[in-house]
């Protein structure tokens, strides 16, 4: 039985953050109920189409957009359908925006079986949050995370954004201090990237990365006791879903703008919400050639604890990887090359690749 991951996309947001290019709408709330029905139709179809076996889904990730814009009642039919396909200890994550995570919403999702919540905090500084175009403040974030913990949610994560023009080393250290004062077992720290079609596209100078500051950030997070298991992810708990992507496990992708990957094919449902509502089961297929798969394994493996197995590399590539072992950039253990510095992962991958 092949273990499988499931990603579910919720394309609604209360407002659009200045940096974000994820598929989400701020003016289509009237479509929520129809959207959840369409999502259910695609879920049922995909479970059949890909002959998903009972108990084979090891993780569910509900992402967005903003999953906390949808009431637990609207998720319920999907969870009912999904239940027989989930393994007994499935990791079930939902992304949560601090401004829309009411106590009853958190409780409702927990009752449905959600055992991991990932909060889009970005910063605990209200001024920085305003610059990023966020619609929550520091107290909303602290309140929502505390409430989730009091409800007994097993795993709690939060996202921070760094490498912005609004940062100083002091601000970043204060954000980390506040993050670690909360009951979290996981933290994602993302360097700001400038994306097309966002407010920041016209202000590219707001993204500034100083590598020595990034290294200091990583070191501080480790001092708080979290292990880095990917360039942007740290924890005392390793997310099974995240790790599954980097290990190239098959995943179902449901919802407008989601992506699935199964049997060496990637599939894309409609990105446009109206087109998706018309035809939730329509997908565009992309065949992955073995060279594409190997390239991804190389880049993802070097960004994470997954590493790259020696047997995946050609003889010339193995030779170059060994040069990097001598240079202490990589470590070789039981047939796998591991990266010692994730910030160099792309350069190392390009150096090794034929
Ligand atoms: C897809 S978003 C959804 C999460 C949720 N809607 C929220 O914002 O709270 C997941 C995370 O991606 C990160 N992110 C999105 N766009 C980014 C960008 N351009 N640069 C860096 N991080 C970004 C943010 O940290 C965000 O919390
Ligand atoms: S960061 Fe989250 S809340 Fe902001 S626009 Fe993107 S998906 Fe929506």
């Amino acid at each position: 039985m092949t273990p499988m991951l499931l990603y579910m996309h919720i394309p609604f947001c209360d407002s659009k953050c200045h940096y974000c290019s994820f598929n989400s709408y701020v003016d289509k709330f009237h479509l929520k109920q129809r959207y959840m029905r369409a999502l259910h139709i695609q879920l049922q179809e995909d479970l059949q189409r890909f002959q998903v076996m009972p108990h084979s889904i090891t993780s569910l990730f509900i992402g967005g957009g903003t999953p906390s814009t949808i009431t637990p009642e609207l998720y319920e039919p999907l969870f009912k359908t999904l239940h027989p396909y989930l393994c007994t200890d499935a990791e079930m994550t939902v992304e949560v925006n601090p401004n829309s995570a009411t106590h009853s919403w958190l409780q409702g999702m927990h009752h449905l079986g959600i055992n991991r919540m990932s909060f889009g905090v970005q910063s605990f500084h209200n001024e920085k949050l305003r610059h990023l175009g966020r619609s929550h403040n520091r107290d909303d974030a602290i309140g929502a995370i505390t409430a989730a913990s009091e409800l007994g949610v097993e795993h709690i994560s939060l996202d921070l954004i760094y490498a912005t023009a609004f940062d100083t080393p002091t601000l970043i250290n204060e954000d980390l201090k506040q993050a670690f004062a909360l009951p979290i077992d996981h933290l994602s720290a993302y360097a700001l990237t400038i994306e097309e079609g966002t407010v920041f596209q016209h202000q590219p100078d707001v993204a500034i990365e100083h590598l020595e500051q990034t290294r200091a950030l990583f070191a501080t997070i480790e001092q708080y006791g979290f292990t880095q298991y990917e360039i942007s992810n740290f924890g005392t708990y390793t997310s099974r879903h995240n790790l599954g992507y980097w290990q190239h496990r098959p995943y179902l992708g449901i919802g407008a703008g989601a992506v699935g990957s199964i049997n060496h094919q990637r599939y894309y449902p409609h990105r446009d919400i109206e087109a998706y509502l018309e035809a939730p089961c329509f997908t565009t297929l992309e065949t992955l050639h073995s060279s594409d798969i190997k390239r991804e394994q190389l880049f993802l493996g070097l960004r994470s604890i997954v590493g790259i197995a020696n047997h995946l590399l050609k003889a010339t590539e193995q030779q170059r990887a060994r040069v990097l072992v001598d240079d202490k950039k990589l470590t070789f253990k039981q047939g796998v090359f591991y990266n010692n510095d994730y910030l160099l992962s792309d350069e190392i991958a390009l150096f090794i690749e034929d």
Side-chain angles (χ1 to χ4, degrees), residues 33 42 96 110 125 133 185 187 201 235 271 292 344:
Q33 302 204 351
Q42 195 201 343
V96 189
H110 189 225
H125 282 80
D185 62 5
L187 184 143
Q201 180 185 356
R271 188 175 161 87
D292 302 328
L344 298 180

Side-chain angles (χ1 to χ4, degrees), residues 12-13 15-17 19-22 24 64-66 97 122 134:
F12 303 103
C13 284
S15 57
K16 199 76 195 166
C17 305
Y19 52 86
C20 181
S21 65
F22 282 80
S24 72
T66 304
N97 279 43
Q122 325 309 348
R134 296 291 299 185

Side-chain angles (χ1 to χ4, degrees), residues 7 51 66 171 181 235 301 316 341:
Y7 175 77
Q51 300 176 341
T66 304
L171 181 148
T316 45
D341 183 352

